[in-house]
Amino acid sequence: MIARIVSFFGDSKYANLRLRLFYLVLALIVVADFLVPREHVEYLWERLPGWSAVYGFASCVAIIFVSKFLGHQGGLMRPEDYYD
Amino acid sequence: MTEFVHPTILFFVGALVIPFLNGTVRKFWQLLIPALAIGVVAIAQPGSYGTVWFLGQELLIARVDKLSLVFASVFTIMSLIGMVYALHLKRPGQHVAAFLYVGSALGVVFAGDYLTLFVFWEGMAFASAYLIFAAGDERAVQAGFRYLMVHLTGGIALLGGVILHGAATGSVMFGPIEGPLGAAAYLILIGFTLNAAVPPLNAWLTDAYPEATVTGAVFLSAFTTKTAVYVLARGFPGAELLVWFGTAMAIYGVIYAVMENDCRRLLAYHIVSQVGYMVAGIGIGTEMALNGATSHAFAHILYKALLFMGAGAVIYVTGRRKLTELGGLYRTMPLTVTLYMIGAFAISAFPFFSGFVTKSMVVSAAGYDHRAVVMLLLTLASSGTFLHTGLKLPYYMFFGKDSGLRPPEPPRNMLVAMSIAAALCIGIGVYPAPLYALLPYEVDYHPYTWPHVTESMGILMFTALGFVLFLKALDPEDTISIDTDWFYRKGARAFMRFAEKPFARYEQAVSAVSEKSLLPFMHRSAQAGLRADLGGIDAIVNGVARKVLRGGEKLRRVQTGIVTHYAVGMIAGVIAAIAIFAVVWL
């Protein structure tokens, strides 16, 4: 069974199905975030439904591009024989 | 049972016996010792054991309280998992080193005074270095020398701080440092934060861990940084400095992980990132934050070891370590993929996995303490954690483009070890009560609330969306990344070119003296022990200097005698430490 689950995530013939399921999950999470009761929240953004989705996506994009920028333009990424 | 059996004794005795055993008996012994240690820690009663007077100082070999017990529990559990994972190794060297390493880590965790702590602290450095040297290739040997050099430097800072502290307060008892931090406290803090891999003192970790043996890296990932978390929690709770260093560290590791191509180095950068949460928690210093830091250390040891075991298994069966050379392994390694992913979900703090019930305690503690910026930055770092360990690494290692490799699953003992760790990752996540009961303070925290679940899922799954959309930008590249080790790898080389002449002349003078006056004296006294001692120390000094500064070829020869040399060096270090104490207090 484990092998079948793993191959669902690897095999390219399921690629479309995977993507559709993924978007469904994303939609469900946002919907759920609108429905959950929020009693004691401390910060402004915790009141905004869907905030975590936006923040998660923005964080991810920021991390990718800031790192790659530092690596390429900032000179942190070097050829493998740099220290030899 | 009122008496306390120190688990360090078990591991040290266990290490002594290993070389004399073979086959099944040795395997049984290697599992028996950690199992006994788990039992000993489980029944240990809080109290002070082993008070001794030494050079007019009161020393306390074992202080047993809730904080030390929670770390000792996870250390002993981890030693059993690590031993199962390494069970297939036929040669005894790494097993002995692992036992000495675990024993020393437990010695630090129970140490009631700074001198005991320091002795075990150095023991950890030497025992763990063997796990790097044992990989045997040129790169590992060089990384091992750098690792030792950095840790010895950190040890000197720690010892200096301890001496100043002892001279100022008249006591070497290890406890929270009171009042504003002075020179002594800063030196001790440098020693501690170096082992916690707090930037800029982090590069030893990401430099050396990926060069260690497959099984050795699993032990390394667990003990050194987490003993440092323990001593920070004991000595510096509420130190404001640590909040900001910890937060910066959480992001630092995540940023570097994007650039990384070596699978275990990527995971090593995530040790830096995860320990950042613990350091920040200690800096916040409220009961909830300290509980969070402690429980996160507990969970972290298990899931990080699981991740290192998964990556190690891939290296073991394929012989490759770069993401650019891997891919498509899911076809033949479904069990490894599944077990690895459990670790990845745990570190990413998915609901029903261990990180969810521990990491969030630190983040919430920051929130309750009105530290909105810290809270937001730590949440940002969690996004990065899932991005790399949960998406990038498994995608390029197990899925992605097909590398054509069709390796088998790793040996059964490796899969068993990974399964134990995976079971604990899920167990803690589903039923956190037993872990919460172990924590130093009473826990009033409920991780499973609807807003917390939907918020976490939002952060994580929309990180996944970013990954899917920008996959091309994340493709691993054939590069290495410059970290703070640049200063002693490149910088020291430049310094050597400048200083080579006077240095060489000095060396010549020293050797002339030793040949003319010292050697005859030694022959006369004919003490074999003394000779070995000097030879050993000399070899270390030369070895570290040349490897680091010139990267020469000659010193590969040192490799063969390395254990004895370093054992001698360690004893010499302890003697030197005692001598300094004697001078200060007598």
Side-chain angles (χ1 to χ4, degrees), chain B residues 360-548:
Chain B
S360 55
M361 215 192 293
V362 178
V363 179
S364 299
Y368 287 133
D369 206 38
H370 310 292
R371 295 173 185 275
V373 177
V374 173
M375 192 181 176
L376 283 174
L377 290 176
L378 289 180
T379 310
L380 179 138
S382 333
S383 159
T385 307
F386 181 50
L387 175 64
H388 305 122
T389 41
L391 296 165
K392 175 186 164 180
L393 196 145
Y395 179 79
Y396 290 103
M397 193 153 77
F398 296 118
F399 302 101
K401 74 164 175 37
D402 188 5
S403 60
L405 296 169
R406 294 289 181 270
E409 294 276 10
R412 184 175 308 201
N413 63 303
M414 287 187 168
L415 290 173
V416 170
M418 292 168 73
S419 304
I420 299 171
L424 287 167
C425 285
I426 296 175
I428 292 169
V430 173
Y431 187 55
L435 172 60
Y436 285 178
L438 277 178
L439 298 181
Y441 302 100
E442 200 157 317
V443 178
D444 179 28
Y445 178 68
H446 305 283
Y448 289 104
T449 62
W450 281 111
H452 183 202
V453 171
T454 56
E455 190 196 297
S456 302
M457 290 305 290
I459 297 275
L460 292 170
M461 293 313 286
F462 280 83
T463 298
L465 178 65
F467 174 78
V468 171
L469 295 180
F470 298 106
L471 188 56
K472 272 278 148 271
L474 271 171
D475 273 348
E477 299 169 63
D478 262 329
T479 56
I480 55 169
S481 310
I482 295 178
D483 203 332
T484 48
D485 54 347
W486 184 88
F487 291 99
Y488 51 82
R489 295 177 77 169
K490 279 281 186 197
R493 209 173 291 182
F495 172 77
M496 261 322 276
R497 269 200 292 277
F498 173 73
E500 205 150 37
K501 264 196 179 158
F503 189 74
R505 211 173 297 156
Y506 169 74
E507 247 193 355
Q508 228 170 16
V510 169
S511 62
V513 169
S514 66
E515 265 167 39
K516 280 193 189 119
S517 51
L518 210 58
L519 276 179
F521 165 73
M522 272 168 55
H523 284 303
R524 269 199 304 280
S525 58
Q527 282 183 337
L530 186 62
R531 258 206 308 272
D533 218 338
L534 286 170
I537 296 164
D538 215 33
I540 295 172
V541 172
N542 285 337
V544 171
R546 277 195 216 145
K547 263 304 168 204
V548 171

Side-chain angles (χ1 to χ4, degrees), chain A residues 2-4 6-12 19 22-23 25-27 29-30 32-33 36-43 45-46 51-68 70-72 75-84, chain B residues 254-256 258-259 261 322 330 334-335 337-338 366-368 370-372 375-377 379-381 383-384 387-388 399 450-451 454-455 457-459 461-470 473-475 477-483 485-486 489-490 493:
Chain A
I2 287 175
R4 276 180 46 202
V6 170
S7 78
F8 172 76
F9 286 98
D11 203 321
S12 57
L19 212 55
F22 177 58
Y23 290 132
V25 169
L26 292 184
I29 287 168
V30 176
D33 208 31
V36 292
R38 288 181 169 74
E39 281 146 18
H40 31 257
V41 287
E42 198 162 345
Y43 297 102
W45 58 82
E46 289 177 332
W51 170 83
S52 68
V54 174
Y55 191 66
F57 183 75
S59 301
C60 170
V61 173
I63 289 166
I64 295 175
F65 290 101
V66 168
S67 311
K68 287 282 178 178
L70 288 175
H72 290 292
L76 290 182
M77 286 163 86
R78 295 297 173 109
E80 286 176 345
D81 56 1
Y82 177 71
Y83 283 119
D84 296 338
Chain B
V254 161
I255 297 266
Y256 268 89
V258 178
M259 301 185 248
N261 187 27
K322 292 196 277 182
Y330 78 92
L335 289 178
V337 176
T338 310
Y368 287 133
H370 310 292
R371 295 173 185 275
M375 192 181 176
L376 283 174
L377 290 176
T379 310
L380 179 138
S383 159
L387 175 64
H388 305 122
F399 302 101
W450 281 111
T454 56
E455 190 196 297
M457 290 305 290
I459 297 275
M461 293 313 286
F462 280 83
T463 298
L465 178 65
F467 174 78
V468 171
L469 295 180
F470 298 106
L474 271 171
D475 273 348
E477 299 169 63
D478 262 329
T479 56
I480 55 169
S481 310
I482 295 178
D483 203 332
D485 54 347
W486 184 88
R489 295 177 77 169
K490 279 281 186 197
R493 209 173 291 182

Side-chain angles (χ1 to χ4, degrees), chain B residues 88-163:
Chain B
H88 60 280
L89 293 182
K90 297 217 162 46
R91 297 181 57 168
Q94 285 195 62
H95 298 307
V96 173
F99 266 29
L100 293 176
Y101 182 30
V102 176
S104 303
L106 287 163
V108 171
V109 161
F110 284 120
D113 66 274
Y114 280 112
L115 189 59
T116 310
L117 186 147
F118 177 76
V119 169
F120 286 120
W121 193 262
E122 297 293 286
M124 272 170 64
F126 286 107
S128 57
Y130 182 83
L131 298 172
I132 301 161
F133 286 119
D137 54 299
E138 176 75 20
R139 275 165 46 160
V141 173
Q142 291 190 1
F145 273 115
R146 287 193 296 270
Y147 175 88
L148 261 182
M149 180 192 71
V150 173
H151 277 288
L152 293 184
T153 313
I156 291 167
L158 175 60
L159 182 64
V162 169
I163 290 170

Side-chain angles (χ1 to χ4, degrees), chain A residues 6, chain B residues 310 313-314 317-318 329-338 398 407-410:
Chain A
V6 170
Chain B
V314 168
V317 293
T318 64
L329 305 182
Y330 78 92
R331 294 175 181 82
T332 52
M333 302 179 78
L335 289 178
T336 310
V337 176
T338 310
F398 296 118
E409 294 276 10

